[in-house]
Amino acid sequence: MAQINPSILSADFARLAEEARAVEGADWLHVDVMDNHFVPNLTLGVPVVESLSRATDTPLDCHLMIEDPDRWAPQYVEAGAGSVTFHAEAAAAPVRLAREIRSKGARAAMALKPATPVEPYEDLLPELDMLLVMTVEPGFGGQAFLDIMLPKIRRTRELINKHGLELWLQVDGGVSESTIERCAEAGADVFVAGSAVYGAEDPAQAVRTLRRQADRTIASAPWACNH
């Protein structure tokens, strides 16, 4: 059913190990890597991922918002990431990169910015374990959810079901109690939540609430019933 991935972009960077432990009931810990080139923000890199992987039992879901992921993505697997997401807009050879990530033992995922259509990548989907549809422009946390992405989520789910793929569909950006059900109804089953989790009084309870909402919606969603 639904997976909830709290984003440490909204956590206290001075207390990352403690913040990671605060959401240990989560499915994955989402780690936003930004290089101030592909997106206009700078966050963290391989050494922090390495440290985080030792500090928590929650698997790391690394989202690389960086230039030249073909060069850097494999290093994040070696640093301890269980899933590595590269951007379609940045990868020079996405199939080769996905296969290399998988060969090193991690799940391979590809992200699409809001203006990037999914249809040109239909033939590439079997090479992936997850596709991320961005529901805000990547680069900063705390942005408002873009409702205009819901049709794209639906089209992506239709492509996944059309080919009978066991491909996770992740959404990232503005996911909260007020938006998660719309995403789940449209076809998403993996949800990145930043401020909705780390801005809550009890982050672990926020994860449980979001998962309950998403599970309930997926259970009755036409795309899931027909899958």
Side-chain angles (χ1 to χ4, degrees):
M1 300 291 278
Q3 298 184 64
I4 306 299
N5 300 11
S7 171
I8 64 164
L9 187 63
S10 297
D12 182 349
F13 273 35
R15 301 166 50 245
L16 281 184
E18 187 179 334
E19 295 280 65
R21 288 191 290 270
V23 293
E24 283 188 340
D27 299 280
W28 296 78
L29 189 65
H30 190 81
V31 182
D32 289 302
V33 178
M34 304 182 193
D35 64 357
N36 202 32
H37 294 286
F38 181 70
V39 292
N41 196 3
L42 184 66
T43 54
L44 46 81
V46 170
V48 175
V49 170
E50 214 163 31
S51 296
L52 265 177
S53 70
R54 294 193 298 266
T56 179
D57 292 329
T58 306
L60 303 184
D61 166 32
C62 285
H63 176 192
L64 307 185
M65 288 167 272
I66 63 174
E67 291 182 349
D68 199 10
D70 304 73
R71 174 186 177 188
W72 295 108
Q75 295 188 32
Y76 285 88
V77 183
E78 294 163 5
S83 177
V84 177
T85 302
F86 58 88
H87 266 265
E89 303 87 358
V95 172
R96 183 174 65 198
L97 179 54
R99 290 179 178 178
E100 185 174 2
I101 292 169
R102 280 175 156 181
S103 73
K104 288 182 175 293
R107 296 180 64 88
M110 186 175 74
L112 303 175
K113 294 168 74 172
T116 303
V118 65
E119 287 79 6
Y121 299 98
E122 180 176 356
D123 291 341
L124 190 153
L125 296 181
E127 300 287 342
L128 303 171
D129 298 297
M130 182 171 73
L131 188 75
L132 166 55
V133 173
M134 292 296 299
T135 45
V136 298
E137 287 293 340
F140 295 92
Q143 297 184 64
F145 178 79
L146 294 174
D147 284 279
I148 58 171
M149 290 297 103
L150 291 171
K152 181 176 174 180
I153 297 169
R154 289 193 180 91
R155 293 195 305 273
T156 304
R157 175 53 66 184
E158 287 168 3
L159 289 178
I160 293 170
N161 286 356
K162 170 185 171 183
H163 294 284
L165 301 173
E166 293 298 324
L167 179 66
W168 296 350
L169 176 49
Q170 185 180 67
V171 289
D172 180 4
V175 175
S176 66
E177 289 184 34
S178 63
T179 60
I180 194 168
E181 292 178 11
R182 279 177 277 164
C183 295
E185 189 277 331
D189 53 8
V190 183
F191 306 88
V192 177
S195 53
V197 171
Y198 280 112
E201 190 172 323
D202 184 343
Q205 179 58 46
V207 169
R208 290 190 291 270
T209 299
L210 290 168
R211 184 185 287 116
R212 187 166 57 248
Q213 285 183 272
D215 278 344
R216 185 174 60 238
T217 304
I218 291 172
S220 60
W223 66 263
C225 297
N226 297 332
H227 185 45

